[in-house]
Amino acid sequence: LQAVAEYAAAIAAAKPTVAVVIEDGAGTTQQVQVDAGTWNVLQTREVAPTGTVAVSATGTGKVIALTTLKYNVPRDPEPPIFNLTTGCVFEGADRSRARCRFCTSLAPGQGSLTGQVMMELGLFTGYAFDTASISSLLANTRLKRIDQDQGKTQVYVDYLKGGEELCIVYDIIQQLVTQNLQPVPHLVYEYYSPDRKGAAMGHVADTYEGAGLAKALGEPGAHVGPVGGGWGLTGSASGAAPCGWLLGLVCMACLLQLR
């Protein structure tokens, strides 16, 4: 620090008078004056980000010219840590009630065991979670706690193992009549490492085949089984719309009607 201070004092005593000219690739010329009044002031100029930049100086004294190039680089999308599949099917043409299924599992290559996991369930406009069906999830000891706040339900899961899938089934009840229901976001992440996450948009099947179709999703509750073992709904990439299984249920209802 002493050497820097002595160097600065020497420059000030020399009383510099330097005119610096900056010309950018667009042909624009800018000037910076360094003298006894500005020798210790950082002066900056922005130049056009095209072509070359030429810097020249005339006069007496010493100046330091620094160039800084700033740019943005798009981040590569991070692979999802969790796979999600989700969807809801109405009971009845009045859309008064719907049964929903939400399944999640660790994506391949993302380890063999997680810490505590948080499942955030989105909710369609005009609907509320059925309290009894949400409470039934806690019958599975893997689920430790459920919070409901501002249109979403947070389910605390003790852990997930690689190769297994956790599926929950719950009901939602219409409180206000709404049209053109939009998909809602669902999220799964590790509670203590929230960057380790997966997301998907929940959709509603546009079919009203009565209670039997909705019950094909299973009774309300939480179940853990192997990925692809039959109970879970696997095969949708995180963030994709998992509608294939809903279409399969619709076709099954059509066959029943034909008979």
Side-chain angles (χ1 to χ4, degrees):
L1 291 177
Q2 181 180 356
V4 172
E6 292 179 356
Y7 182 73
I11 293 178
K15 297 180 181 180
T17 55
V18 180
V20 179
V21 177
I22 305 169
E23 184 175 356
D24 60 27
T28 303
T29 301
Q30 303 182 70
Q31 186 167 334
V32 178
Q33 188 68 35
V34 180
D35 52 31
T38 61
W39 69 271
N40 60 348
V41 177
L42 175 64
Q43 302 183 63
T44 61
R45 299 290 188 272
E46 291 190 7
V47 298
T50 57
T52 59
V53 177
V55 179
S56 60
T58 58
T60 303
K62 296 179 180 179
V63 298
I64 298 176
L66 301 176
T67 58
T68 303
L69 177 63
K70 296 181 179 181
Y71 55 90
N72 297 320
V73 177
R75 295 180 60 183
D76 293 332
E78 297 180 357
I81 305 300
F82 297 93
N83 290 327
L84 281 70
T85 53
T86 179
C88 299
V89 176
F90 288 121
E91 291 186 7
D94 59 355
R95 292 189 171 194
S96 61
R97 194 178 187 90
R99 180 153 294 177
C100 304
R101 192 187 245 185
F102 184 126
C103 295
T104 185
S105 62
L106 268 173
Q110 295 300 335
S112 59
L113 182 68
T114 70
Q116 183 169 260
V117 172
M118 179 77 78
M119 302 172 69
E120 291 191 357
L121 316 180
L123 186 63
F124 298 104
T125 301
Y127 286 78
F129 290 103
D130 177 70
T131 303
S133 67
I134 291 295
S135 297
S136 71
L137 303 179
L138 291 176
N140 189 308
T141 57
R142 185 76 66 88
L143 278 59
K144 296 301 182 183
R145 173 178 149 193
I146 298 176
D147 291 339
Q148 292 183 267
D149 182 46
Q150 297 181 351
K152 66 180 178 182
T153 289
Q154 296 176 316
V155 180
Y156 294 75
V157 183
D158 197 11
Y159 61 88
L160 276 178
K161 292 181 179 179
E164 72 176 13
E165 185 172 54
L166 169 64
C167 292
I168 62 175
V169 174
Y170 57 92
D171 292 342
I172 58 176
I173 303 172
Q174 188 181 63
Q175 293 188 323
L176 297 173
V177 177
T178 55
Q179 302 294 327
N180 300 321
L181 292 179
Q182 299 301 307
V184 294
H186 299 279
L187 182 65
V188 176
Y189 58 90
E190 285 201 49
Y191 186 80
Y192 296 106
S193 301
D195 289 341
R196 289 175 53 83
K197 60 186 177 182
M201 299 300 291
H203 295 251
V204 170
D206 293 325
T207 183
Y208 320 104
E209 298 295 338
L213 180 60
K215 286 185 178 179
L217 299 182
E219 293 299 322
H223 304 262
V224 177
V227 173
W231 202 95
L233 306 173
T234 58
S236 293
S238 177
C243 297
W245 60 277
L246 293 174
L247 295 177
L249 292 174
V250 174
C251 293
M252 179 182 67
C254 294
L255 291 174
L256 291 174
Q257 285 184 341
L258 289 175
R259 289 183 180 178

